[in-house]
Amino acid sequence: MSPSVFIASGVVIAASLLFMVVGAVYRWDLTSAGYGRWTRIIAAVALMAIAVVSVWDHRGDPTVVIAALLVGGILASGFVLAHRTLSARLRGIEERPSSPGDGD
């Protein structure tokens, strides 16, 4: 196995551990602004780190380098936008008072 596989695995493991730390700090309050901010940062950095590992492993092929960086950037940006939207929806649901007909 190439070293890039081990490095990418380390990135995933580190990101997972950081997600657990952030969750514990914010007491798993998914609607907390801090929780949302830090999970977005961790995920975006992890996605870009994996893209950089791919680039490093294929640094002799410029097409792969450009594609990996472009796709990594698109994935990271897409994740951040989707996560912001979901966080805003969750905050809206939590702030809305429940009525007797909601089934709660």
Side-chain angles (χ1 to χ4, degrees), residues 34-64:
Y35 178 87
R37 180 182 320 109
W38 284 108
T39 54
R40 281 192 297 272
I41 289 169
I42 292 166
V45 168
L47 283 168
M48 287 309 299
I50 290 172
V52 168
V53 168
S54 298
V55 165
W56 176 67
D57 197 39
H58 295 91
R59 60 190 173 272
D61 188 357
T63 305
V64 173

Side-chain angles (χ1 to χ4, degrees), residues 10-49:
V11 168
V12 171
I13 291 167
S16 299
L17 291 172
L18 287 170
F19 280 132
M20 289 189 288
V21 168
V22 167
V25 167
Y26 288 97
R27 299 179 192 258
W28 301 102
D29 181 9
L30 302 180
T31 60
S32 166
Y35 178 87
R37 180 182 320 109
W38 284 108
T39 54
R40 281 192 297 272
I41 289 169
I42 292 166
V45 168
L47 283 168
M48 287 309 299

